[in-house]
Structures are given as structure tokens and as C-alpha cells.
Amino acid sequence: MTTGFYYRTEDIRADKVLYLFVGSQIDREIVNLFKSPVPTVLEGSRGTGKSFLMAVARIELENSFSELKILPVYVAFRGSSLVHTSDPLQFRHWMLTKVIREVLKELRKKGLIVSSYACSLLSDNTNQDQTRLETKLEQIIDNYEKSYQNPGNTVNIINIPDISDVRDAFEDICITLGLERISLFFDEAAHVFRPEQQRQFFTLFRDFRSPYISCNAAVYPGVTHYGSFFEITHDATFKRIERDILEAGYLDFMWEIFQKQADEPVKIAFEKQRSLFNTLAFSASGNPRILFKTLSKSNKVNTSEVESVVRNYYRADIWSEHTKLGEKYIGHKALIDWGRNFIETHILTAIHNKNQWQIKEGKEELTVYFWIHKDVPEMVKEALRLLCYTGIIRKIDDGVRNSHSKIGSRYEIKYGCILSLAPNPQSYSEVLGRNLDIRRFNEFGATHPAYQSLPQQNLQEVQDEEIAIIVRMQLQQSIDVLDITDWQKEKLKGVGVTTIESLLSLDEEYLINNIHQVGAVRARTMKNAATAELLEYLSG
């Protein structure tokens, strides 16, 4: 079976992105929004393709730069978990510095030189040319991102400008260089359990508003805090990336993205057994990363192998990421564990039993949906939000009336989680896929007995001191916890990289010079992919 699927956008070379893009109507709408002057916030759980659609928009803008004169600039905030200084506005200062640095880098790539006036604004009105300014910004960023080694230390922020000066500088850059605008792409902008960072980010997102700057951000469902100064309905266009398994073109879309990446023998094998592919595609509930992971685990293309993958992945593997949240954030552990137990013991069992009864009675309406009363305890809602973040469930809509005309929210649970309970997932899928009905759902009222076991705790925002301790603990873990290939782990261990901290401490040149039989490009790709996964892991 092929192991060549791309799980992460960071692994994909820029010249392959447009080829791999399969533009459904919703995906095309999102890409066009990203390219427009309209501030856009895209929400989706991990693996749904937020970063990939950003990459498509950036590359399309890049390819049309000579015509449109729009400068696309990518800014990743995954390193935020490493920032631990005594500066109360450390995140704002760090990300503002990163934005300036990335804009200057993109301009330099195009051979465009910033005016001395803009340089003075971007260096807090000190006289620096573009080269010295970039060097100074690099030093500030590096000091912030190494601050986890000595939490509480200070970083010299004397050269970090005010946001109004940054806006003025970007306006000057656009006017003097003949640019239409600068388009900023903020990936992984809002991390779980860091509400204060999120609020600072969205305040900055709003403050960047200018005819010469457009902002785009990718966020996670359920755990994003916008703050009191940012109103999502007024300050941006909000979109969700959702691929509904009930849509007529769903299977065709998933088949096309599979064909773009699969080896020819695998394509032929699944073409002959299309129903097996359909089972894995439905099971992923629209998540390309999960589809590729389960395809990679199918060493043979036959019914028993696919059924084994469904049972193993959706009974165990899919829960590991959710459980890790509790291992990393002890204050939330009890609630995270309760949420898992609630889904496995009550939701999944109720849906499975209902479907089996419907099938036995010869009725066609089957479900992967459930309904939660709007007045359930807040801790239940928080547990469900965390389950949305990890993608095990998806909130479809609010204000839905149940069979007794009560109002609540409707959710979808991963199709594969339902299949995994069946003794014959493949045959069950062929019945379930044909008869899904979103109007049919199991109902959980405001006083369901399961709520009696809710943990007695008040969730509080995780403080920087607590995050610093957590990060130190995570850095000591083996690289085996990272979601990278076994080949990457083997090569890293071969040069003495065994812990997360040891990987973080090495630069690309070390790996290029010390990994035998691997060229510079491949070593750099491996380092970048591993580091991206590392920082996502640390971020929650």
C-alpha cells in the first residue's frame, strides 16, 4: 500500500499545490475570499484543509503578482507555545514582529527595497536600512522563541513599532512600490487553551484593517476566543470548511483528491473495489487527513483489511489525540475524559442501537446525528466544544427543535465511529450510507443522567506559568509521540535526535550535514515537516 500521501500542507512543495487542489464549490469560494480584500476567518478542525486552501490562495496570488500587484505573506504562529517572558504583551509583540519580518522577506524575494521612511516607521523611528532592520527583527523573534529555556526573562522590545506606525509603513510600501495591497495569511492563529493570546491576536487582526492590508486567519472550532474588541460578524467574513457526507458530490470529491496523490497500483485496486473506498471516505466525514491516514493503514485492498482499519482507527487511534489534551493540560483532564466517556458510552451506543432497530424493522431512516438541549450544564457544552476541536464530532446547527419541540443543537459524530461498533463494518456502511437522514437524531435533554457524573470543577484559563511547566514536560518526551513518518523518526534518531527538545535545538544545516544518503532538499523538507508537527503538538 502507498505511504506517499501528504498529511500536512507543510510537506507539499509549492509547485505541487495547485495540481493537488480539487476545487469543490465551497473550497473555491473560500479561496476566492482569501484572495479578496475582505478580512476572512476560516474555521475547521485539524486535517480538514484550512492550511491547504490558504496555500492555494497564496500561490494563485503569487502567480498573478505581475498583474494584480497583491503581495501574499504567510505568517505561522505555531511557535507561540515557546514564548514565556515577563512581558505582559509578549504575544502581541512577538506576532507583530513576525508580521513585519515576513513582509520584508517577501519584498526582498521580489527584489523590492523599502524606503528609508518605511524602515524608520518599522523600527520605532530609528534610522535603520532594510537589511539591518531585518536582522534586528530576527533577533527579537529568536529571543522570544527561545524564552521557554529561561521563563520570565525579558526581551528588548525598544525597536518594536506601534500598530499605527506599521499601518503607515505598509501604506508607504504599497504606494512607493506600486502594490495594490499586502495580503496577510495567519495560519494556526488561535491555539487551544491560550485564550489571552487569541484575544490579543484578534485585536491585532482588527487593528490591521486598512485599504492597503487584508487579513485572513485559520482557526479551530469550539476553542477560539475572539475577545471583546473583535466581533466576528462585523470585523470579518466568517466561513466554515465543512464537507457534508450527504452532499451529492461528496464521494466524487473524496475520490478525486485520492486520485491526485495515490500510486497507480492503489488507484487500480480501489477502482475495482470502489465500495471499500466509499466506506473509508464516508468514515472520514470529510476530513482528507483522516482519509489518507486510513488509506495508508490498509496494507491490502480487501474487505477484511478495510474493516480492520475502521475498527482499529475509529475505536482507538482517533481518540488518542483527544486524550492527549488531558495529558498535556491537567486542569482540563477530568472534563476531557468525561467527554470521551459520554460519547462512547451514551452517544455512540444510542445511535448504534437506534440504527440496528431501524434496520431490523425494515425502516430506511438511519443516523449519525444527535441533539443536545440548549439548557444543558455549561460543562457539557465545554466538553462538546473540545470534541469539535479534535474533530470527533461536528456541530451542524443551533436552534433545532426536537420531537417534543424543545430547542437545542444538532451534532454529527464521525461516521467511522459508528461503523466501528458493527461486526461487519463494510456491509453496515453500504446500508448506512444509502439511508442517512439528517432529520433523524438521538436526543439528549437538559437533565440526562449522564450529566450527574460531570467533574466538579471550574475551568480557568491556563496561565503562562502553567503553560511554561507543561511545555518543559512535553519537550522531554520522545519524538515517537510526533505524528511524522517512521522513516523520519528513524533518520532523526540516527543522528541522535530522540526527544522533542533535541529536535528543536538543531538547525537545518546540522541535519543536512549529518543524515547520510539524504540530500539537502529532502533533509530540509523532513526537518520542516517534523518541526511543524512538533509545534502543533506543543500548542495543543
Side-chain angles (χ1 to χ4, degrees), residues 105-143:
K105 279 174 58 178
E106 289 302 317
L107 290 169
R108 184 172 290 280
K109 286 180 185 178
K110 295 190 173 353
L112 300 174
I113 305 301
V114 176
S115 70
S116 57
Y117 171 68
C119 281
S120 67
L121 289 175
L122 294 175
S123 57
D124 197 27
N125 295 307
T126 60
N127 285 324
Q128 295 191 38
D129 61 24
Q130 185 170 341
T131 300
R132 283 187 293 175
L133 174 56
E134 290 182 44
T135 301
K136 192 68 176 179
L137 295 172
E138 289 280 1
Q139 291 174 347
I140 294 173
I141 293 168
D142 188 58
N143 288 339

Side-chain angles (χ1 to χ4, degrees), residues 231-250:
E231 295 185 52
I232 190 63
T233 56
H234 297 289
D235 292 321
T237 295
F238 179 78
K239 294 286 288 186
R240 288 191 177 93
I241 180 167
E242 297 176 333
R243 300 183 178 92
D244 192 342
I245 59 178
L246 293 179
E247 288 182 358
Y250 172 78

Side-chain angles (χ1 to χ4, degrees), residues 42 62 93 103 129 132 386 394 437 474:
L42 177 63
E62 186 70 35
H93 292 147
V103 168
D129 61 24
R132 283 187 293 175
L386 294 172
R394 175 173 72 94
D437 189 336
Q474 299 305 325

Side-chain angles (χ1 to χ4, degrees), residues 316-517:
D317 293 358
I318 198 170
W319 289 104
S320 64
E321 180 180 349
H322 189 71
T323 301
K324 283 177 184 176
L325 295 180
E327 295 171 358
K328 288 188 285 184
Y329 299 98
I330 305 302
H332 293 72
K333 185 179 188 305
L335 185 63
I336 289 166
D337 291 344
W338 181 90
R340 174 176 179 171
N341 183 67
F342 178 57
I343 293 295
E344 290 187 308
T345 304
H346 298 279
I347 302 290
L348 281 172
T349 300
I351 292 175
H352 179 67
N353 290 343
K354 181 173 186 174
N355 284 342
Q356 295 305 307
W357 185 87
Q358 291 283 96
I359 292 171
K360 181 179 178 181
E361 294 296 314
K363 298 184 178 182
E364 295 183 350
E365 300 90 354
L366 304 181
T367 187
V368 292
Y369 308 103
F370 64 97
W371 176 94
I372 299 288
H373 195 285
K374 67 178 180 66
D375 294 329
V376 297
E378 283 301 313
M379 295 287 278
V380 174
K381 296 178 182 178
E382 182 68 19
L384 294 175
R385 281 193 287 268
L386 294 172
L387 286 155
C388 287
Y389 164 71
T390 47
I392 292 171
I393 66 175
R394 175 173 72 94
K395 188 175 185 179
I396 299 175
D397 44 19
D398 293 311
V400 178
R401 292 191 181 274
N402 72 347
S403 57
H404 301 288
S405 294
K406 303 295 184 181
I407 297 175
S409 300
R410 179 165 44 192
Y411 293 83
E412 173 188 296
I413 190 164
K414 276 277 186 287
Y415 182 105
C417 291
I418 301 296
L419 285 194
S420 69
L421 301 181
N424 305 108
Q426 178 59 29
S427 58
Y428 185 21
S429 180
E430 292 175 4
V431 177
L432 183 60
R434 289 196 308 268
N435 297 290
L436 276 180
D437 189 336
I438 197 171
R439 297 170 298 178
R440 300 290 181 260
F441 43 77
N442 286 76
E443 302 172 9
F444 293 82
T447 58
H448 192 277
Y451 309 152
Q452 295 178 8
S453 62
L454 277 167
Q456 300 301 310
Q457 65 181 123
N458 292 317
L459 291 182
Q460 298 180 349
E461 292 185 8
V462 179
Q463 301 301 311
D464 281 342
E465 296 81 6
E466 185 178 353
I467 289 289
I469 295 171
I470 293 166
V471 168
R472 291 301 308 169
M473 292 170 56
Q474 299 305 325
L475 287 170
Q476 301 308 311
Q477 293 210 66
S478 166
I479 61 171
D480 288 332
V481 303
L482 299 180
D483 189 14
I484 57 179
T485 67
D486 290 339
W487 181 88
Q488 288 174 321
K489 292 175 184 176
E490 179 184 346
K491 290 297 183 183
L492 289 170
K493 290 177 180 178
V495 293
V497 178
T498 58
T499 66
I500 291 179
E501 185 167 26
S502 61
L503 172 59
L504 194 64
S505 66
L506 298 178
D507 57 24
E508 292 176 6
E509 283 300 317
Y510 179 87
L511 295 179
I512 292 169
N513 294 330
N514 288 276
I515 296 182
H516 300 295
Q517 299 179 336

